[in-house]
Amino acid sequence: MSKFLQPRDYDITTLGKRQKCIPGKEPVLNRSGEVIQVCDPDLDDKALKYVSKAVTSTWISSRGSFLTAFETKFAEKVGASFGVAVNSGTSALYLALAAYGLEEGDEVIVPSFTMISTAFAVTYLGAIPVFVDCSENYQINPELIEQAITPKTKIIMPVHIYGHPCDSDAIEAIAEKHNLAVIYDAAEAHGALYKEKPIGNRGLASCYSFYGNKIITTGEGGMVVSDNKEFMDIVRNLKDVSFSPERHFWHKRLGYNFRMTNLAAAVGVAQVERFDELVQAHISNAEYYNEGLKNVKGLRLPPQEEWAKNVYWMYGMSVLPEFGGTRDELRKFMADKGIETRTFFVPMHLQPYYFKPETDKKLPVSEKLSEQGLYIPSSSTLTAQQKDKVIEAIKDASKFFHS
Ligand SMILES: *Cc1c(COP(=O)(O)O)cnc(C)c1O
């Protein structure tokens, strides 16, 4: 055995029927014709021009005019007063929790149905993510939060999943009653609205990602946004190894290097100038798919609560038994036609790193979603023909499985 860090793992047969939550082998994409990917970044000439400008200016590290412009413009677009750009969405989450003062042994309420970074951010600080199930709308179920709160709980960390906002009013009411902070993971929800208002100033802070497949991208990148100036001053200080403004090489907090480069921010400025267009392209894709798929039996199309503006970062749906084939069979059928799909998240409580056989927590809605859910190509660059091809493939699969 190696002397280095060992993986945590377990035998998935332990899960019994719930093994279906763990995706099998990826279907092989047929690359002989046109391939339609789940997501392509949407970059324009301006991005190129701004990056060249950053290079020419030699301001390529973590100071420069693109950084300031990106922070200001992005924060404004999501309805927040302040933004601090960082090198990833994961760093943004970590930084926000650190700046709050989360400590070892503290507990944070996290949805089980999310991407791993939400939970890891908590674990980095020695704190404990307490996983809560979601509702049929994919978002953390506010009715299950209260029973997960203990005297050690410090923060609720909801996620706006796949571009649909979570029920912030209900969550924040619980947080207020128990004197907890709310820090949102908004990595998938650029431009989403809750009760007609931007979501970026909700709770103490929100954390965005600008990874290549996100609605707004800087390649890699992230941002913490908030209306709370005192908090954001700490976030800014921590992201830059907590240099003190009044004295060189003088550090009063445990800081990090999570700085975004001016090069990445140059891409970000070009993207944020197209913010409304990029968000709208995702919504238009969803409207197109909703129309094209509405009569296909056995599909549960993405949620749309009446209080939400869903920006459909990814068009995620569930394949129900009435479809005739399973989610994995549909994925294979589409892969044969050169169409890429992705399964939903594997719930956090079943991840090898977090799974505890002795408690063997069951969160049925998250588990059902990860068994049945997939998302289909969702790029802002999709053409009508490509969307037609995706819709036709799904309809063909439905006919094939019923024949
Ligand atoms: C993408 C994503 C992150 C992580 O962002 P990175 O920029 O990849 O670090 C965190 N949370 C959610 C929900 C995400 O989708």
Side-chain angles (χ1 to χ4, degrees):
M1 206 162 67
S2 154
K3 64 180 179 176
F4 301 120
L5 184 66
Q6 296 302 300
R8 284 188 197 163
D9 206 355
Y10 65 97
D11 179 356
I12 61 167
T13 57
T14 316
L15 297 177
K17 274 194 176 158
R18 294 185 300 157
Q19 273 179 65
K20 290 189 196 144
C21 296
I22 317 297
K25 250 177 71 187
E26 271 299 292
V28 180
L29 252 190
N30 179 351
R31 295 188 177 273
S32 64
E34 186 205 12
V35 170
I36 308 178
Q37 317 236 66
V38 156
C39 190
D40 287 315
D42 188 346
L43 301 168
D44 64 354
D45 291 347
K46 261 204 186 149
L48 201 57
K49 196 178 111 193
Y50 292 169
V51 173
S52 311
K53 236 171 130 175
V55 171
T56 314
S57 76
T58 74
W59 288 87
I60 56 167
S61 275
S62 54
R63 268 187 282 169
S65 57
F66 288 114
L67 260 174
T68 320
F70 183 46
E71 288 179 336
T72 311
K73 288 179 181 174
F74 184 82
E76 190 188 313
K77 273 292 177 193
V78 298
S81 309
F82 309 101
V84 171
V86 293
N87 57 1
S88 76
T90 308
S91 303
L93 293 164
Y94 186 2
L95 193 58
L97 295 176
Y100 182 74
L102 191 70
E103 286 179 1
E104 197 173 328
D106 289 344
E107 291 178 2
V108 178
I109 307 278
V110 173
S112 187
F113 190 69
T114 184
M115 188 249 169
I116 196 74
S117 296
T118 325
F120 276 175
V122 174
T123 304
Y124 294 150
L125 287 153
I128 300 151
V130 175
F131 301 122
V132 168
D133 207 359
C134 58
S135 311
E136 293 292 338
N137 65 12
Y138 309 168
Q139 314 306 318
I140 190 167
N141 184 345
E143 287 171 18
L144 301 176
I145 291 178
E146 220 155 9
Q147 65 201 61
I149 294 172
T150 76
K152 290 183 179 167
T153 312
K154 294 286 155 57
I155 296 173
I156 305 177
M157 200 146 94
V159 187
H160 308 292
I161 298 285
Y162 298 153
H164 189 294
C166 59
D167 193 355
S168 294
D169 282 350
I171 295 164
E172 288 170 19
I174 297 164
E176 190 164 39
K177 183 172 155 198
H178 294 270
N179 199 19
L180 308 173
V182 181
I183 294 177
Y184 288 97
D185 181 341
E188 305 182 349
H190 314 70
L193 303 182
Y194 178 73
K195 298 187 178 169
E196 290 167 17
K197 295 210 180 77
I199 56 174
N201 65 345
R202 299 297 306 233
L204 174 61
S206 292
C207 304
Y208 286 84
S209 163
F210 307 120
Y211 180 65
N213 69 5
K214 299 288 157 77
I215 295 179
I216 298 285
T217 184
T218 59
E220 297 281 359
M223 199 182 293
V224 183
V225 303
S226 170
D227 276 353
N228 188 320
K229 174 146 194 324
E230 185 192 355
F231 178 73
M232 292 300 273
D233 285 345
I234 300 169
V235 167
R236 192 171 291 285
N237 179 246
L238 289 191
K239 84 146 179 185
D240 188 16
V241 292
S242 80
F243 277 114
S244 295
E246 75 277 14
R247 199 181 295 201
H248 271 304
F249 301 111
W250 193 248
H251 307 268
K252 297 185 267 190
R253 293 187 183 97
L254 177 64
Y256 308 86
N257 175 0
F258 288 159
R259 301 181 298 246
M260 177 184 270
T261 66
N262 199 42
L263 291 171
V267 177
V269 171
Q271 289 269 291
V272 93
E273 287 175 359
R274 298 169 63 210
F275 190 97
D276 297 341
E277 174 207 331
L278 293 170
V279 170
Q280 188 50 48
H282 283 262
I283 295 171
S284 302
N285 284 344
E287 287 167 349
Y288 203 94
Y289 283 142
N290 280 342
E291 185 57 30
L293 297 172
K294 68 179 180 202
N295 294 324
V296 182
K297 250 197 357 205
L299 290 184
R300 202 168 157 269
L301 301 182
Q304 175 60 72
E305 299 283 5
E306 97 271 355
W307 38 259
K309 179 181 175 186
N310 187 352
V311 291
Y312 298 94
W313 168 57
M314 290 292 172
Y315 189 89
M317 58 172 133
S318 288
V319 180
L320 311 178
E322 305 89 76
F323 185 74
T326 63
R327 183 266 314 270
D328 291 348
E329 285 164 342
L330 174 59
R331 294 192 71 211
K332 176 157 189 326
F333 190 93
M334 294 177 78
D336 283 343
K337 294 181 184 293
I339 301 168
E340 190 186 37
T341 59
R342 281 254 207 303
T343 57
F344 277 8
F345 305 118
V346 176
M348 293 303 107
H349 66 288
L350 301 182
Q351 291 292 337
Y353 184 77
Y354 287 117
F355 183 70
K356 290 201 179 69
E358 60 287 3
T359 45
D360 192 14
K361 195 165 180 157
K362 293 187 174 65
L363 300 175
V365 183
S366 307
E367 291 170 17
K368 194 184 61 183
L369 285 176
S370 48
E371 187 184 321
Q372 300 180 331
L374 87 164
Y375 49 85
I376 59 178
S378 303
S379 314
S380 50
T381 53
L382 286 177
T383 62
Q385 289 90 321
Q386 289 176 315
K387 283 178 270 195
D388 286 337
K389 193 174 157 187
V390 173
I391 292 167
E392 280 318 305
I394 295 171
K395 286 182 168 169
D396 287 350
S398 158
K399 276 189 215 126
F400 175 78
F401 294 134
H402 280 107
S403 64

Coordinates of all heavy atoms in Angstrom, one line a residue, residues 86-93 113-119 158-162 185-190 207-214 219-223 313 345 375, ligand 1:
V86 N -12.4 35.4 -7.6 CA -11.4 34.4 -7.1 C -11.2 33.4 -8.3 O -11.7 33.6 -9.4 CB -11.9 33.7 -5.9 CG1 -12.0 34.7 -4.7 CG2 -13.3 33.1 -6.1
N87 N -10.3 32.4 -8.0 CA -9.9 31.5 -9.0 C -10.8 30.3 -9.3 O -10.6 29.6 -10.3 CB -8.5 31.0 -8.7 CG -8.4 30.3 -7.4 OD1 -9.4 30.2 -6.7 ND2 -7.2 29.9 -7.0
S88 N -11.8 30.1 -8.5 CA -12.8 29.1 -8.8 C -14.1 29.3 -8.0 O -14.0 30.0 -7.0 CB -12.2 27.7 -8.6 OG -12.2 27.4 -7.2
G89 N -15.1 28.6 -8.4 CA -16.3 28.6 -7.6 C -16.1 27.9 -6.2 O -16.6 28.3 -5.2
T90 N -15.3 26.8 -6.3 CA -15.0 26.1 -5.1 C -14.3 27.0 -4.1 O -14.6 27.1 -2.9 CB -14.1 24.9 -5.4 OG1 -14.7 24.1 -6.4 CG2 -13.8 24.0 -4.2
S91 N -13.3 27.8 -4.6 CA -12.6 28.8 -3.7 C -13.6 29.8 -3.1 O -13.4 30.2 -2.0 CB -11.5 29.5 -4.5 OG -10.6 28.6 -5.0
A92 N -14.5 30.2 -4.0 CA -15.5 31.2 -3.5 C -16.2 30.7 -2.3 O -16.4 31.4 -1.3 CB -16.4 31.6 -4.6
L93 N -16.7 29.4 -2.4 CA -17.4 28.8 -1.3 C -16.5 28.7 0.0 O -16.9 29.1 1.1 CB -17.9 27.4 -1.7 CG -19.0 27.4 -2.8 CD1 -19.1 26.0 -3.4 CD2 -20.3 27.9 -2.3
F113 N -28.3 16.8 -2.8 CA -28.3 16.9 -4.3 C -27.6 18.2 -4.7 O -28.2 19.2 -4.9 CB -29.8 16.9 -4.8 CG -29.9 16.7 -6.3 CD1 -29.5 15.4 -6.8 CD2 -30.3 17.7 -7.1 CE1 -29.6 15.2 -8.2 CE2 -30.4 17.5 -8.5 CZ -30.0 16.3 -9.0
T114 N -26.3 18.1 -4.9 CA -25.5 19.2 -5.4 C -24.2 18.6 -5.9 O -24.0 17.4 -6.0 CB -25.2 20.2 -4.2 OG1 -24.5 21.3 -4.8 CG2 -24.4 19.6 -3.1
M115 N -23.3 19.5 -6.3 CA -22.0 19.2 -6.8 C -21.1 19.1 -5.6 O -21.3 19.9 -4.7 CB -21.6 20.2 -7.9 CG -20.4 19.9 -8.6 SD -19.1 21.1 -8.1 CE -17.7 20.4 -8.8
I116 N -20.1 18.3 -5.7 CA -19.2 18.0 -4.5 C -18.6 19.2 -3.9 O -18.4 19.2 -2.6 CB -18.1 17.0 -4.9 CG1 -17.4 16.4 -3.7 CG2 -17.1 17.6 -5.8 CD1 -18.3 15.3 -3.0
S117 N -18.3 20.3 -4.6 CA -17.6 21.5 -4.1 C -18.4 22.1 -2.9 O -17.8 22.7 -2.0 CB -17.4 22.5 -5.1 OG -16.6 22.0 -6.1
T118 N -19.7 22.0 -2.9 CA -20.5 22.6 -1.8 C -20.1 22.0 -0.5 O -19.9 22.6 0.5 CB -22.0 22.4 -2.1 OG1 -22.3 22.5 -3.5 CG2 -22.8 23.5 -1.3
A119 N -20.0 20.6 -0.6 CA -19.7 19.9 0.7 C -18.2 20.0 1.0 O -17.9 20.2 2.2 CB -20.1 18.4 0.5
P158 N -27.6 26.7 1.0 CA -28.5 26.2 -0.1 C -27.8 26.4 -1.4 O -26.9 27.2 -1.6 CB -29.7 27.1 0.0 CG -29.5 28.1 1.1 CD -28.0 28.1 1.4
V159 N -28.3 25.7 -2.4 CA -27.7 25.7 -3.8 C -28.9 26.0 -4.7 O -29.9 25.4 -4.5 CB -27.0 24.4 -4.1 CG1 -26.3 24.5 -5.5 CG2 -26.1 24.0 -3.1
H160 N -28.7 26.8 -5.7 CA -29.7 27.0 -6.7 C -29.4 26.0 -7.9 O -28.5 26.3 -8.7 CB -29.7 28.5 -7.3 CG -29.7 29.5 -6.2 ND1 -30.9 29.7 -5.4 CD2 -28.8 30.4 -5.8 CE1 -30.6 30.7 -4.6 NE2 -29.4 31.2 -4.8
I161 N -30.1 24.9 -7.9 CA -29.6 23.8 -8.7 C -30.1 23.9 -10.2 O -31.3 24.2 -10.4 CB -30.2 22.5 -8.2 CG1 -29.6 22.2 -6.8 CG2 -29.9 21.3 -9.1 CD1 -28.2 21.7 -6.7
Y162 N -29.2 23.7 -11.1 CA -29.4 23.7 -12.5 C -30.1 25.0 -13.0 O -30.7 25.0 -14.1 CB -30.3 22.5 -13.0 CG -29.6 21.2 -12.7 CD1 -30.4 20.0 -12.5 CD2 -28.2 21.0 -12.7 CE1 -29.8 18.8 -12.2 CE2 -27.6 19.8 -12.4 CZ -28.4 18.7 -12.2 OH -27.8 17.5 -11.9
D185 N -24.8 28.9 -2.6 CA -24.0 28.4 -3.7 C -24.8 28.7 -5.0 O -25.8 28.0 -5.3 CB -23.7 26.9 -3.6 CG -22.9 26.3 -4.7 OD1 -22.8 27.0 -5.8 OD2 -22.3 25.2 -4.6
A186 N -24.4 29.8 -5.7 CA -25.2 30.2 -6.9 C -24.4 29.9 -8.1 O -24.6 30.5 -9.2 CB -25.4 31.7 -6.8
A187 N -23.5 28.9 -8.1 CA -22.6 28.5 -9.2 C -23.3 28.2 -10.5 O -22.7 28.3 -11.5 CB -21.7 27.3 -8.8
E188 N -24.6 27.8 -10.4 CA -25.3 27.4 -11.6 C -26.4 28.3 -12.0 O -27.3 28.0 -12.8 CB -25.9 26.0 -11.3 CG -24.8 25.0 -10.9 CD -25.4 23.6 -10.7 OE1 -26.6 23.4 -10.6 OE2 -24.6 22.7 -10.5
A189 N -26.5 29.5 -11.4 CA -27.7 30.3 -11.5 C -27.5 31.8 -11.8 O -28.2 32.6 -11.3 CB -28.5 30.2 -10.2
H190 N -26.5 32.0 -12.7 CA -26.3 33.4 -13.1 C -27.6 33.9 -13.8 O -28.0 33.4 -14.8 CB -25.2 33.5 -14.1 CG -23.9 32.7 -13.8 ND1 -23.9 31.3 -13.8 CD2 -22.7 33.1 -13.4 CE1 -22.7 30.9 -13.4 NE2 -22.0 31.9 -13.2
C207 N -22.1 32.7 -3.8 CA -20.9 32.3 -4.5 C -21.1 31.8 -5.9 O -22.0 30.9 -6.1 CB -20.2 31.2 -3.7 SG -19.9 31.7 -2.0
Y208 N -20.5 32.4 -6.9 CA -20.7 32.0 -8.3 C -19.4 31.3 -8.8 O -18.3 31.4 -8.3 CB -20.9 33.2 -9.1 CG -22.3 33.8 -8.9 CD1 -22.6 34.7 -7.8 CD2 -23.3 33.5 -9.7 CE1 -23.8 35.2 -7.6 CE2 -24.6 34.0 -9.6 CZ -24.9 34.8 -8.5 OH -26.1 35.3 -8.3
S209 N -19.6 30.5 -9.8 CA -18.5 29.8 -10.5 C -18.5 30.3 -12.0 O -19.5 30.6 -12.6 CB -18.7 28.3 -10.5 OG -17.9 27.7 -11.5
F210 N -17.3 30.4 -12.5 CA -17.2 30.8 -13.9 C -16.4 29.7 -14.7 O -15.6 29.9 -15.6 CB -16.4 32.1 -14.1 CG -17.1 33.2 -13.3 CD1 -16.4 33.9 -12.3 CD2 -18.4 33.6 -13.5 CE1 -17.0 34.9 -11.5 CE2 -19.0 34.6 -12.8 CZ -18.3 35.3 -11.8
Y211 N -16.6 28.5 -14.3 CA -16.0 27.3 -14.9 C -16.5 27.3 -16.4 O -17.5 27.9 -16.7 CB -16.4 26.0 -14.2 CG -15.9 24.8 -14.8 CD1 -14.5 24.5 -14.8 CD2 -16.8 23.8 -15.4 CE1 -14.1 23.3 -15.4 CE2 -16.3 22.7 -15.9 CZ -14.9 22.4 -15.9 OH -14.5 21.3 -16.5
G212 N -15.8 26.6 -17.3 CA -16.1 26.6 -18.7 C -17.5 26.3 -19.1 O -17.9 26.7 -20.2
N213 N -18.2 25.5 -18.3 CA -19.5 25.1 -18.7 C -20.6 26.0 -18.0 O -21.8 25.8 -18.2 CB -19.8 23.6 -18.4 CG -19.9 23.3 -17.0 OD1 -19.8 24.2 -16.1 ND2 -20.0 22.0 -16.7
K214 N -20.2 27.0 -17.3 CA -21.2 27.8 -16.6 C -21.7 28.9 -17.5 O -21.1 29.2 -18.6 CB -20.6 28.4 -15.3 CG -20.2 27.4 -14.3 CD -21.3 26.7 -13.6 CE -21.0 25.3 -13.1 NZ -20.3 25.2 -11.8
G219 N -13.1 30.7 -18.0 CA -12.2 29.5 -18.0 C -12.3 28.8 -16.7 O -12.9 27.7 -16.6
E220 N -11.5 29.2 -15.7 CA -11.7 28.9 -14.3 C -12.0 30.2 -13.6 O -11.4 31.2 -14.0 CB -10.5 28.2 -13.8 CG -10.1 26.9 -14.4 CD -10.9 25.7 -13.9 OE1 -11.8 25.9 -13.0 OE2 -10.7 24.6 -14.4
G221 N -12.8 30.2 -12.6 CA -13.0 31.4 -11.8 C -14.2 31.3 -11.0 O -15.0 30.4 -11.1
G222 N -14.3 32.3 -10.1 CA -15.5 32.4 -9.2 C -15.6 33.8 -8.6 O -14.7 34.6 -8.8
M223 N -16.7 34.0 -7.9 CA -16.9 35.3 -7.3 C -17.8 35.1 -6.0 O -18.8 34.4 -6.1 CB -17.5 36.3 -8.2 CG -17.2 37.8 -7.7 SD -17.9 39.1 -8.8 CE -17.0 38.9 -10.3
W313 N -29.6 26.6 -16.6 CA -28.1 26.3 -16.9 C -28.0 25.0 -17.6 O -27.3 25.0 -18.7 CB -27.3 26.3 -15.5 CG -25.9 25.8 -15.7 CD1 -25.0 26.4 -16.6 CD2 -25.3 24.7 -15.1 NE1 -23.8 25.6 -16.5 CE2 -24.0 24.6 -15.6 CE3 -25.8 23.7 -14.2 CZ2 -23.1 23.6 -15.2 CZ3 -24.9 22.7 -13.8 CH2 -23.6 22.7 -14.3
F345 N -26.3 14.6 -10.5 CA -25.3 14.4 -9.4 C -25.6 13.0 -8.7 O -26.7 12.6 -8.6 CB -25.5 15.4 -8.3 CG -25.4 16.8 -8.8 CD1 -26.4 17.7 -8.7 CD2 -24.2 17.3 -9.4 CE1 -26.3 19.0 -9.1 CE2 -24.1 18.6 -9.9 CZ -25.2 19.5 -9.7
Y375 N -29.2 15.3 -18.0 CA -29.4 16.6 -18.8 C -28.9 16.5 -20.2 O -28.0 15.7 -20.5 CB -28.9 17.8 -18.0 CG -27.6 17.9 -17.4 CD1 -26.5 18.2 -18.2 CD2 -27.4 17.7 -16.1 CE1 -25.2 18.4 -17.6 CE2 -26.2 17.8 -15.5 CZ -25.1 18.1 -16.2 OH -23.9 18.2 -15.7
Ligands
LIG1 C1 -19.6 24.4 -10.8 C2 -20.1 24.3 -9.4 C3 -19.2 24.5 -8.3 C4 -17.7 24.7 -8.4 O1 -17.3 25.6 -9.2 P1 -15.8 25.5 -9.8 O2 -15.6 26.8 -10.4 O3 -15.7 24.4 -10.7 O4 -14.9 25.3 -8.6 C5 -19.8 24.6 -7.0 N1 -21.1 24.3 -6.8 C6 -21.9 24.0 -7.8 C7 -23.3 23.7 -7.5 C8 -21.4 23.9 -9.2 O5 -22.2 23.6 -10.2

